[in-house]
Amino acid sequence: MDRSRGRGYNLLAMESQPGLDVLFTGGEIQAAVKKLAAEIREDYQGRQLLLVGVLKGSFVFLADLVRFLNIPLEIDFVWLSSYSRGRESSGRIEVVLPPRCQVKDRDVLVVEDIVDSGVTSAFLMEYLDKKKPASVRLCALTDKPSRRQVPVKIDYLGFTVPDKFLVGYGLDWDEKFRYLPDICVLEDEG
Ligand code: IMP
Ligand code: MG
């Protein structure tokens, strides 16, 4: 049961995943999320935060973030679909599930798993801004700047990551691997 870096990922449940390499361990992620939470807590002192998680990828990050934040806040979710073809985003975004909380006059913090092309985050920030929040900022666990097509301002960032396809800690490939406690690189087949 070796979970060290650079070795093939071995699940606790004995299921071997030879195509996965650990990029950030669960422990490293927890430390990064804790640091982000401290920064956010400091910046939002005395304000009533509304966290908006982007489904589905942000659900694990958001769950850890709110527990480290440990301040009064509200949580909502949005679900966007991006008509992607393989890895490439088409640039067309549809709001499948809009926020249910009122956004107007609120201090909104969007919580994203990853900013890749930037198309999704740029769309969402503009979409929320039209609802006249008191403020709207972006918190992303990971940023893949080498893939950017649209400029995006990330106010709170966990990790800058290489141009590799990542899974685990909420991130999926074809709905798989979201449950992994680490963030792993999914190696190309062949
Ligand atoms: P965008 O290209 O910045 O619009 O990212 C769109 C979405 O694609 C992200 O919110 C993720 O859900 C997904 N995505 C982008 N890169 C990865 C990755 O490396 N692993 C898993 N999902 C990804
Ligand atoms: Mg996402």
Side-chain angles (χ1 to χ4, degrees):
M1 205 159 62
D2 189 339
R3 298 180 64 232
S4 61
R5 280 167 175 281
R7 313 283 300 266
Y9 193 91
N10 286 300
L11 294 175
L12 298 170
M14 291 166 291
E15 179 189 355
S16 179
Q17 301 280 359
L20 300 178
D21 267 309
V22 177
L23 182 63
F24 304 115
T25 64
E28 288 167 335
I29 300 167
Q30 294 296 305
V33 177
K34 197 171 179 178
K35 217 170 128 200
L36 279 179
E39 231 183 290
I40 294 166
R41 196 187 310 114
E42 173 85 20
D43 289 356
Y44 286 88
Q45 265 179 31
R47 286 150 77 182
Q48 272 268 307
L49 251 182
L50 172 62
L51 294 190
V52 175
V54 185
L55 292 172
K56 301 178 192 173
S58 72
F59 83 105
V60 181
F61 174 38
L62 182 79
D64 280 340
L65 186 66
V66 295
R67 283 174 290 183
F68 283 126
L69 275 169
N70 195 24
I71 52 171
L73 52 78
E74 288 174 34
I75 299 165
D76 205 347
F77 291 98
V78 289
W79 191 358
L80 308 169
S81 86
S82 67
Y83 297 102
S84 56
R85 277 214 187 125
R87 277 188 70 178
E88 303 310 315
S89 175
S90 69
R92 272 180 58 214
I93 309 278
E94 188 197 350
V95 181
V96 180
L97 181 81
R100 299 202 54 163
C101 290
Q102 192 187 305
V103 167
K104 192 171 185 301
D105 300 328
R106 301 297 307 274
D107 287 309
V108 178
L109 182 61
V110 171
V111 180
E112 264 282 22
D113 51 0
I114 188 162
V115 180
D116 187 59
S117 70
V119 170
T120 309
S121 303
F123 170 88
L124 181 59
M125 297 308 276
E126 204 184 312
Y127 170 86
L128 291 172
D129 203 47
K130 284 184 190 146
K131 297 183 182 294
K132 306 267 184 271
S135 66
V136 57
R137 286 184 182 171
L138 176 62
C139 173
L141 179 64
T142 62
D143 178 23
K144 218 190 272 180
S146 54
R147 300 250 311 158
R148 199 72 93 252
Q149 290 170 24
V150 185
V152 173
K153 180 170 181 273
I154 303 175
D155 300 283
Y156 304 96
L157 175 66
F159 301 103
T160 300
V161 297
D163 183 9
K164 304 271 185 192
F165 199 81
L166 307 181
V167 294
Y169 197 73
L171 290 157
D172 76 306
W173 173 75
D174 198 19
E175 295 303 324
K176 296 173 183 72
F177 308 118
R178 291 194 197 275
Y179 61 93
L180 297 175
D182 305 325
I183 292 178
C184 301
V185 173
L186 185 67
E187 300 296 347
D188 295 332
E189 281 181 31

